[in-house]
Amino acid sequence: MRFTPRPLTLALFVAFVPSAHAQTASSSETPVQSLPSIVVTANPLGLDSDSLTTPASVLQGERLTLQRRGTLGELLENEPGVHADTFGGGASRPVIRGQTAPRVKVLSDGSEIVDASGVSPDHVVTADTLLARRVEILRGPSALLYGGGAIGGVVNVLDDKIPTEIPEDGLSGSVEVLGATAAKERAGAVGLTVGEGNIAVHVEGARRRSDDYRVPDWTDSRVANSNADSTTGSVGLSFVGSRGYIGAAYSYREDDYGLPGHSHEYEDCHPHGSSLHCGGHDHDHDHDHDHDHEHGEHAATAHLRSDRLDIRGELRDPFAGFSNLKFRGGYTDYRHDERDDGELGTTFTNRGYDGRLELRHHPLGGWEGVVGLQTSRYDFASFGGSENFIPKTRTNSTGLFLLENYKWNDWRFELGARHEWQTVSPDSGTLSDYDGNATSLSAGATWDFVPGYAASLSVSRSQRMPNAQELYANGVHFATLTYEKGNPDLGKETARTVDLGLRKTDGDLRFSVNAFLSRIDGYIYGNTLDQYEDFRLIEYTQGDASFAGLEAEVSYRVTPHASVTVFGDYVRGKLRDGDDLPRIPAARVGARTNLNWDRWSGFVEYTQVLRQNRIASYEESTSGYGLLGAGVSYSGTMAGTDYLLYLKGSNLLNKLAYNHASFISRAAPLQGRSVMAGVRVEF
């Protein structure tokens, strides 16, 4: 009899069995090291990651350097509860607890990033991973301060484009170069800050180029149109005083990248009611069709240009009753062209601004907190070509929010609220405006019941209003091989979420376990009405859904120079009538060994992604696969300059792996074996 473990059972086993064994070993005489607390700036209260009522991850320093990838989704995909909806070598978005855009927000130091990644997975998230100084991930209810729509979570990318202090010796900076084998990747980044008196100037730039990447057991051994070329640069100026700073920066990004799996062969498909009509053939309900399209390969590419102006400022003790004032604002002019065999097709543009003001007040009756205002306006348009499936729209949004914190003995309580107003106005005489408002509330508690241990519970009720694509889409979308039909009668989603956590943050044994359940009334999703070959007709509709899952990580310091970590995550997303939702990431478990000696450090890691056979209609199951990775690094100092040399290998067993969260998993599998080498210098 063959035993097949259920994903949740396996994840629980990975999380708890090692901790039971290791607990007996923690009484060794090896000195216990305490790591410094990491403050999460995306939380306005300035709490460290161990004090939050909901889970948070922070990537910075050497860890961030060793995990750098060309896209944001790939950079974060190994964090607990985070995956990527990969789209070749040029684009991927983070998937948090089974959700991606528009239910996952990406921020640039607290200000929303404006691009077209929320419209389609083949559009780049324009946050540069080479220039990022730090990346924060908020999961669950703590993300609602950035909008009730952030049901999945928030990714906050911090950079140095606007200096917040004067360099100690008047000059600081960094240089990094790297290369990788699977896609013949070559990349480099440089940043420099100079300052004197109260004035600081920062300039930075990055360039990354890669060819079509290698895949084992694949036609021609490489994925066609998976190449990428990206250039980013910025210049910023700040005035820094004794009580804070104010500064501005201009930045740009330009990308050219291939679109694997992008096909125009269904260009003439259109709906007849709830059925598809393609070519000269009427679509019948037996799905038995003659296919009169010619299958051919096209050099489908995308070119984007983003120009952005950021303003940031912070003032301590601005006026009576308040200890801190923080402002973030940005204006973006974004353009994205899609080309087929060099000919210009559809163009997408997004122009708009986002502003956010936070005021932290002094304690009132023991409560400390932040009140704030956020407002934004975005003008989105698509024109030309055959993929012009969304009318020109203007989206206005304003939100008021509050976050309060109270400390009592071993307990810490947190309350949050946000109310927002949104209007979506299409440039069409036949479509009506959407005008709505939403209220989101959260409450949480953390109990430090034993030194080094904490239990947490948070509950939330968050609401998301539909976006322009869900309301007004009407046309073919080649990236996802769909004809999309919007629904102007959509209402708002209401999600009720419970998050329960247990963590140990001191000693040789450390762990973090979080379980969550989110029940969403009026969940908006693309319902497949009909299919012709690989092309589907979808209509945005609403149904009640639920997402449940587990994230766990347990580490044990075997010696002062070696530690072992096991980890796993699992999420199940389905409609409450029993149907599974599409592209829900498969469960995974893994183990990692970290070694360090003097200035050397290294790791070996194995991750097993399980088979995903809980699938939606018209979706294929995905086989499981195992990924082996390893790396070594050396950090040193020369003439007062710090440097890091590193060598890292990924998918070392060269496995053919399909990512279930990707729209084009069968057309663009994950990269095969790759070795990356690099050096980073900081001064």
Side-chain angles (χ1 to χ4, degrees), residues 327-550:
F327 173 76
R328 296 288 184 270
Y331 174 82
T332 303
D333 185 352
Y334 173 92
R335 179 187 175 102
H336 174 110
D337 297 326
E338 297 197 351
R339 299 167 181 168
D340 192 44
D341 289 331
E343 295 185 8
L344 180 63
T346 305
T347 294
F348 299 89
T349 62
N350 199 2
R351 298 182 178 92
Y353 65 82
D354 173 78
R356 183 179 180 91
L357 179 69
E358 298 175 1
L359 275 169
R360 183 169 182 174
H361 65 77
H362 290 304
L364 294 173
W367 288 89
E368 285 186 280
V370 172
V371 295
L373 168 70
Q374 183 175 2
T375 184
S376 63
R377 191 189 83 181
Y378 306 123
D379 293 315
F380 181 86
S382 62
F383 52 88
S386 55
E387 209 171 351
N388 180 19
F389 65 99
I390 305 176
K392 182 179 180 180
T393 57
R394 170 171 292 179
T395 301
N396 289 279
S397 179
T398 301
L400 294 171
F401 57 89
L402 170 73
L403 180 65
E404 295 291 328
N405 171 67
Y406 184 84
K407 178 75 174 175
W408 178 69
N409 295 331
D410 297 328
W411 291 82
R412 192 181 66 80
F413 301 95
E414 187 177 293
L415 297 174
R418 181 183 175 102
H419 187 78
E420 52 193 330
W421 299 262
Q422 175 181 291
T423 61
V424 185
S425 304
D427 186 11
S428 171
T430 60
L431 298 173
S432 58
D433 293 358
Y434 175 88
D435 190 351
N437 63 86
T439 301
S440 300
L441 304 168
S442 70
T446 301
W447 179 30
D448 299 318
F449 57 95
V450 173
Y453 289 82
S456 62
L457 172 67
S458 65
V459 295
S460 69
R461 173 193 178 273
S462 53
Q463 293 187 316
R464 184 182 82 88
M465 291 173 280
N467 61 25
Q469 183 175 2
E470 295 162 335
L471 291 167
Y472 307 121
N474 186 23
V476 292
H477 189 186
F478 298 126
T480 57
L481 290 180
T482 56
Y483 188 104
E484 296 189 14
K485 294 177 63 177
N487 184 351
D489 297 324
L490 293 174
K492 56 194 170 188
E493 300 175 345
T494 300
R496 295 171 176 85
T497 302
V498 177
D499 194 298
L500 181 64
L502 179 65
R503 56 182 176 258
K504 183 177 184 293
T505 57
D506 287 331
D508 292 334
L509 172 69
R510 302 180 184 216
F511 59 80
S512 175
V513 181
N514 278 86
F516 64 90
L517 172 63
S518 183
R519 298 175 65 86
I520 307 175
D521 297 335
Y523 184 79
I524 301 171
Y525 68 102
N527 181 36
T528 299
L529 302 178
D530 200 4
Q531 182 169 0
Y532 176 71
E533 297 189 342
D534 296 325
F535 193 80
R536 294 177 297 123
L537 170 63
I538 68 168
E539 180 180 37
Y540 288 104
T541 188
Q542 293 187 276
D544 295 338
S546 65
F547 288 80
L550 177 75

